[in-house]
Amino acid sequence: MSLTSTAATHLVTLAEGTEHGGNHESLSPYVTGGGALFALLLLLWITTRFNRDR
């Protein structure tokens, strides 16, 4: 079996989500979304603090 066909087989298995059962139990969408919102607000705050045009 060649490297490309092995990689393609693993990618199909990974895309189907059948290898590890799909979604992880401890991964909450609220925690993920809250963390992303916090990170974006932090980046916005840093950007505005260093914007010293005036």
Side-chain angles (χ1 to χ4, degrees), residues 6-24:
T6 303
T9 304
H10 285 293
L11 284 175
V12 168
T13 304
L14 188 64
E16 289 175 351
T18 57
E19 187 174 357
H20 296 291
N23 293 335
H24 196 271

